[in-house]
């Protein structure tokens, strides 16, 4: 270090005049450091009298990681990895966070005090999780797992949060306060798990009971309230926010797979395009892993008589159920219904309306049959 | 000393998971600490038991199998790593050692 140049001065010079100026001033020894301002050695000078003491580099807490970051999920385009997928989710949740390598990290200054919770719930949650330490001061690492075969969930025993990739053909949603289904984007699923469950575990305040009852979980309400705060921060209207245990269907969540493009007048799964037929295999795998129950809802487009549309929508639902029963004998089908063209808003032939929706759930309250 | 995570998934549907039965069986592991977690409360389609085993050997694997393999409607797994659930019926010393290293306390 140049004898007359403190680290603070060097840093200021570096900002205003660039590394080259510092390097020129400090000479060749500094060049070998790659242009980074070196730490000035204080020698025998007491630390409090030395403005550039031999401090250790600041410890960066990186307590959220992406599991298996380099893997490309099935169905995802080349170049898409678990890391890039989670990066998208995290940025949607809080623009000040990003994924670097396997680490979920904040921009400089976003989480100035380890453990500080900002007023904004979305970013505050990530700051909290980013700064977790155990009783010895060691970082507590939570991992985000991208797994398209399992139900999104949080597991405190393994410190993992599991979400889907967005390429699984499985969408997620929940019953809202107005007894309607609301579909989610996957970042909100991550927010639910990371901020609504993992953060409560980290704080030691996650409910440990009672067990699920009446098709729902009273203990889920604290998580849902956090999710709804985050939803509000992102402009999601109160009407579309998730219901609580006291609301219809207990605000429980569901997964949805849509099998569309039935030929007009046909309920045969054999007549489906290959891409749609493939979703039946996806449904089978997902059902098997997640142990879900299922509502099968058939649809038609608008052309045709009321009786004919009702009949074909029921037939489509029955056809898909029969196909899945043949593939997975253990599936439980709670409701198998046809709703005609009630949810097809566009007149004329509409292949996208000639479909079957599989609504899958782990809590019976999410069934359309639940009182 | 090994901290082994067990997961109990439903043979058919999550509605068949029986937390009381899992707890009752876990209490039979008198010489080890066994904590039961109702992971359904955080959206998991399974319930979990974390067993702290003093000495990992084939006898320990046999005791785990004998304790948990007869739970009706549920299949127990040993979590060897994230995404690696091995049926408890295949548990041996090597698997328990691997599992113990995967999720230390």
């Amino acid at each position: 270090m140049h004898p007359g140049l403190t680290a603070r001065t060097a840093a200021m010079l570096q900002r205003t005049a660039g590394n080259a100026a510092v390097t020129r001033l400090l000479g060749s020894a500094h060049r070998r450091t790659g242009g980074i301002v070196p730490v000035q050695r204080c020698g025998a000078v007491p630390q409090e009298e030395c403005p550039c003491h031999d401090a250790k580099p600041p410890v960066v807490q990186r307590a959220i990681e992406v599991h298996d970051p380099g893997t490309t999920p099935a169905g995802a385009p080349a170049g898409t990895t678990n890391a890039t997928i989670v990066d998208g989710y995290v940025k949607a949740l809080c623009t000040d966070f990003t994924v670097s390598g396997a680490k979920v990290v904040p921009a400089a200054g976003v989480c100035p005090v380890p453990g500080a919770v900002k007023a904004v719930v979305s970013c505050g949650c990530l700051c909290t999780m980013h700064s977790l330490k155990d009783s010895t001061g060691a970082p507590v690492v939570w991992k985000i797992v991208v797994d398209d075969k399992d139900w999104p969930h949080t597991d405190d025993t393994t410190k993992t949060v599991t979400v889907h990739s967005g390429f699984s053909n499985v969408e997620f949603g929940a019953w809202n306060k107005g007894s309607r289904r609301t579909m989610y984007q996957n970042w909100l699923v991550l927010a639910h798990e990371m901020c609504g469950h993992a953060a409560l575990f980290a704080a030691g305040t996650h409910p440990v009971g009672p067990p699920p009852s009446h098709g729902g979980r009273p203990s889920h309400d604290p998580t849902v309230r956090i999710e709804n705060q985050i939803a509000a921060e992102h402009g999601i209207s109160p009407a579309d926010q998730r219901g609580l245990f006291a609301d219809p269907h207990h605000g429980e969540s569901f997964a949805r797979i849509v099998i569309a493009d039935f030929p007009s007048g046909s309920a045969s799964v054999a007549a489906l395009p290959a891409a749609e037929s493939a979703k039946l295999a996806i449904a089978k795998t997902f059902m098997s892993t997640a142990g879900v129950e299922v509502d099968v809802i058939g649809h038609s487009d608008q052309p045709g008589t009321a009786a004919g549309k009702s009949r074909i929508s029921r037939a489509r639902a029955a056809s898909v159920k029969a196909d899945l029963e043949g593939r997975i004998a253990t599936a439980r089908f709670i409701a198998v219904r046809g709703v005609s063209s009630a949810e097809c808003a566009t007149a004329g032939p509409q292949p996208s309306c000639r479909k079957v929706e599989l609504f899958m759930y782990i809590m019976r309250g999410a069934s359309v049959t639940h009182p | 000393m090994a901290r082994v995570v067990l997961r109990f998934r439903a043979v058919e549907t999550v509605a068949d998971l029986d937390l009381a039965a899992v707890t009752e069986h876990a209490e039979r592991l008198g010489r080890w600490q066994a904590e039961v977690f109702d992971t359904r409360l955080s959206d998991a389609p399974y319930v979990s038991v974390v067993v702290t085993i003093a000495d990992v050997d084939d006898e320990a694997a046999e005791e785990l199998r004998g304790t948990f393999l007869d739970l009706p409607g549920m299949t127990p797994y040993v979590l060897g790593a994230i995404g690696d659930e091995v049926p408890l019926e295949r548990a041996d010393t090597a698997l328990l050692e691997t599992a113990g290293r995967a999720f230390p306390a």
Side-chain angles (χ1 to χ4, degrees), chain A residues 150 154-155 192-193 217 291, chain B residues 7 9 14 40 42-43 46:
Chain A
D150 211 346
T154 301
D155 192 333
H192 174 95
E193 301 301 337
R217 297 164 292 174
Chain B
R7 283 182 177 171
R9 288 189 183 264
V14 173
R40 295 173 299 177
S42 54
D43 306 332
Y46 53 79

Side-chain angles (χ1 to χ4, degrees), chain A residues 2 21 45 225 300:
Chain A
H2 189 281
V45 179
R225 289 192 179 96
S300 74

Side-chain angles (χ1 to χ4, degrees), chain A residues 56-91:
Chain A
K56 293 178 182 176
V59 176
V60 179
Q61 299 294 330
R62 288 174 177 170
I64 311 174
E65 295 181 357
V66 180
H67 175 67
D68 211 0
T71 293
T72 298
T80 301
T81 63
N82 290 339
T84 63
I85 289 165
V86 173
D87 184 57
Y89 297 167
V90 164
K91 282 177 176 163

Side-chain angles (χ1 to χ4, degrees), chain A residues 67 143 145 150-155 157-158 160 192-193 197 201 206-212 217 219-220 289-293 330 332 362-364, chain B residues 3 5-7 9-16 19 35 37-46 48-50 79 81-83 85 102-105:
Chain A
H67 175 67
K143 292 196 173 183
V145 180
D150 211 346
W151 189 270
H153 64 277
T154 301
D155 192 333
T157 70
T158 56
T160 52
H192 174 95
E193 301 301 337
H197 286 299
F201 281 123
H206 195 285
V208 295
R217 297 164 292 174
S219 62
H220 207 223
T289 305
V292 293
E293 295 179 312
T330 54
R332 285 189 180 177
I362 60 173
M363 292 292 147
R364 183 73 65 86
Chain B
R3 179 181 182 271
V5 179
L6 304 178
R7 283 182 177 171
R9 288 189 183 264
V11 174
E12 292 198 351
T13 72
V14 173
D16 297 329
L19 184 71
E35 285 185 277
F37 295 86
D38 191 353
T39 12
R40 295 173 299 177
L41 300 182
S42 54
D43 306 332
Y46 53 79
S48 305
V49 176
V50 176
L79 199 56
I82 292 174
E85 297 178 4
F103 304 102

Side-chain angles (χ1 to χ4, degrees), chain A residues 224-362:
Chain A
V224 172
R225 289 192 179 96
I226 293 169
E227 176 194 317
N228 285 345
Q229 284 181 288
I230 291 171
E233 287 178 358
H234 287 75
I236 296 173
S237 71
D240 284 332
Q241 291 172 20
R242 188 167 178 153
L244 299 173
F245 183 75
D247 292 317
H249 299 278
H250 305 310
E252 283 294 350
S253 54
F254 55 82
R256 181 177 76 164
I257 294 178
V258 181
I259 300 148
D261 293 355
F262 279 88
S264 183
S266 172
S268 170
V269 295
L272 284 167
E276 298 302 307
S277 182
K279 294 178 184 174
L280 292 167
I282 292 168
K284 174 205 165 193
T285 300
F286 184 69
M287 287 177 180
S288 179
T289 305
V292 293
E293 295 179 312
V294 190
D295 291 348
V296 189
I297 310 297
H299 299 260
S300 74
D301 52 10
Q302 291 192 9
T305 64
K309 289 187 293 183
S310 177
R311 185 173 59 251
I312 195 67
S313 67
R314 288 197 310 272
R316 284 171 181 150
S319 176
V320 166
K321 172 180 177 284
D323 185 85
L324 291 172
E325 281 182 324
R327 291 163 181 253
I328 178 167
T330 54
R332 285 189 180 177
F333 298 90
I334 305 303
V336 181
R337 296 180 178 179
V339 295
S340 189
S341 60
E343 297 178 21
C344 185
T346 309
Q350 299 293 334
S352 63
C353 290
R354 299 193 295 264
K355 66 185 178 184
V356 169
E357 292 176 293
L358 296 171
F359 288 104
M360 300 166 282
Y361 40 86
I362 60 173

